[in-house]
Amino acid sequence: MNPIKTALAIVLVTATTAAMAATTVETTPAAKVAALKAQVKADTIQAASTVKSAAATTKDKAATASKTAAQKTVAAKNVAVAKTVATKDAVAEKTAEVKDATVAQATEAKDATVEKTTEVKEAVAEKADVVKTEAKAEKKGFFSWFKKSAA
């Protein structure tokens, strides 16, 4: 009976060892698959987090760029308005200067014309007086001669 017990013990040990070996072989791939799934899940979460972070950074950069562009646009507009106002003021000032100079020249010309007209009137009046005086003198002389001839 000992040989039968020994054979049974050997078969039992062999079966148990085979069962343990089979269980270990099956457990190891399942554990590896679970570990790989967990790793893939962790990598996916990390990749999604990285993508979200990059998207947030891009969004912030776009917002900053938009604000900067808006500020630059406002600054350019302010500069353009300032230049336009300065140009307008310069044109108005130059126009006023030209107008003042024109008025001054017109006033001078008018004064000169009035003065010259007055001089011409005086000269004409003097000449008219001289002509009248000469005419009277000739008239007196003509009648005097006439009177002398008659006498």
Side-chain angles (χ1 to χ4, degrees), residues 56-95:
T57 303
T58 304
K59 183 179 177 183
D60 290 344
K61 285 182 180 178
T64 303
S66 176
K67 286 179 185 176
T68 303
Q71 290 171 347
K72 285 182 180 179
T73 301
V74 169
K77 181 180 176 184
N78 289 343
V79 168
V81 167
K83 285 183 179 179
T84 302
V85 169
T87 303
K88 182 180 175 184
D89 290 346
V91 168
E93 184 178 327
K94 195 69 173 175
T95 302

Side-chain angles (χ1 to χ4, degrees), residues 138-151:
E138 284 182 19
K139 199 176 187 184
K140 283 184 181 178
F142 178 73
F143 287 120
S144 297
W145 177 79
F146 211 31
K147 286 181 183 177
K148 287 182 186 176
S149 297

Side-chain angles (χ1 to χ4, degrees), residues 126-142:
E126 286 178 14
K127 286 185 180 180
D129 287 343
V130 170
V131 168
K132 283 181 184 177
T133 305
E134 288 178 4
K136 283 182 182 178
E138 284 182 19
K139 199 176 187 184
K140 283 184 181 178
F142 178 73

